[in-house]
Amino acid sequence: MIERPRRNRVTPIGDIEATPQRGTLMGNRGDLHAPDGTLCRTWMVRRWISCTLHSPTGRRVTFDTPGCYTPLFFADEVTALAAGHRPCASCRRPAYDAFRAGWQDALGEKPSAVEMDDILHKARINAAGYKVTFIASLRDLPDGVFVAGERSPGTAFLVRAGCLHPWSHAGYGKPVHVPVDRPVRVLTPAPIVGILKVRTFQIFD
């Protein structure tokens, strides 16, 4: 019997979907699942992080582990950042340090992990639980930022080298060339956009 894919893959919009494709990073937002193993909420804590696929301690948490976080998965680093997840300070210390240093360079302060989580939470979802977005000119956005599709708000495009690359769980499509002065709806939280202007994070090959 073939097991159906779990609903545990995160999109750049921040939605959690079921797909057979595997991720390159794991993360969590707290315990999201009901006793029957289904997701009953989209977040539980403000500490949204991205982690390595393998715990450095060897401790493995499965999707159905009661009382523990619900493992989520991301296609790549920039997808996790667009969804509002920062690098974990424990299992991804170098990436966390780079993220925090970028925060200081971009925003003029070096907050604690808790302070960053509080600021990011307000920048990624509103009081009603919907994704926070904003409008910007494409020319003002650094590589690694995600924007929404014009014709289909549920689609996401990665900004790279002045082009838009359509995103999917399976990978990226052919680049789309658009005018650099075109206004676009930005999906990546504003503080992270600032960090991406001064720090480079892993983008697809």
Side-chain angles (χ1 to χ4, degrees):
M1 180 178 179
I2 299 176
E3 185 177 353
R4 292 183 178 179
R6 295 282 196 180
R7 185 180 162 215
N8 58 15
R9 281 292 298 274
V10 183
T11 74
I13 299 172
D15 295 336
I16 305 173
E17 300 179 341
T19 177
Q21 283 79 28
R22 300 176 65 85
T24 64
L25 289 171
M26 188 189 75
N28 78 81
R29 305 174 183 177
D31 185 0
L32 310 182
H33 60 265
D36 63 359
T38 60
L39 262 67
C40 59
R41 59 184 70 89
T42 58
W43 66 278
M44 190 67 177
V45 297
R46 295 189 174 193
R47 187 174 64 96
W48 293 22
I49 57 175
S50 60
C51 305
T52 61
L53 292 178
H54 305 286
S55 169
T57 65
R59 181 171 179 263
R60 181 183 179 86
V61 174
T62 66
F63 193 85
D64 300 312
T65 304
C68 293
Y69 66 85
T70 300
L72 302 174
F73 297 90
F74 312 92
D76 52 25
E77 179 80 87
V78 288
T79 298
L81 292 173
H85 289 246
R86 63 163 175 83
C88 175
S90 178
C91 67
R92 302 188 63 216
R93 190 71 196 193
Y96 170 81
D97 288 340
F99 184 88
R100 191 165 177 238
W103 189 296
Q104 183 178 31
D105 293 341
L107 305 175
E109 56 185 19
K110 197 171 186 178
S112 66
V114 173
E115 290 169 333
M116 286 193 293
D117 292 338
D118 287 341
I119 294 171
L120 286 174
H121 197 69
K122 295 177 182 178
R124 62 192 171 215
I125 58 174
N126 60 24
Y130 294 107
K131 176 80 170 180
V132 173
T133 62
F134 62 96
I135 302 298
S137 174
L138 182 59
R139 71 167 73 249
D140 297 327
L141 298 176
D143 286 0
V145 169
F146 276 90
V147 301
E150 285 187 328
R151 298 180 180 179
S152 179
T155 59
F157 291 79
L158 174 70
V159 177
R160 188 184 190 191
C163 297
L164 299 182
H165 300 255
W167 179 94
S168 74
H169 289 293
Y172 294 87
K174 294 181 180 180
V176 178
H177 298 270
V178 297
V180 295
D181 59 350
R182 174 179 293 182
V184 290
R185 183 167 296 279
V186 183
L187 298 173
T188 303
I192 297 179
V193 173
I195 294 172
L196 287 169
K197 289 182 178 181
V198 298
R199 294 276 168 165
T200 300
F201 288 84
Q202 182 65 43
I203 302 177
F204 69 94
D205 295 326

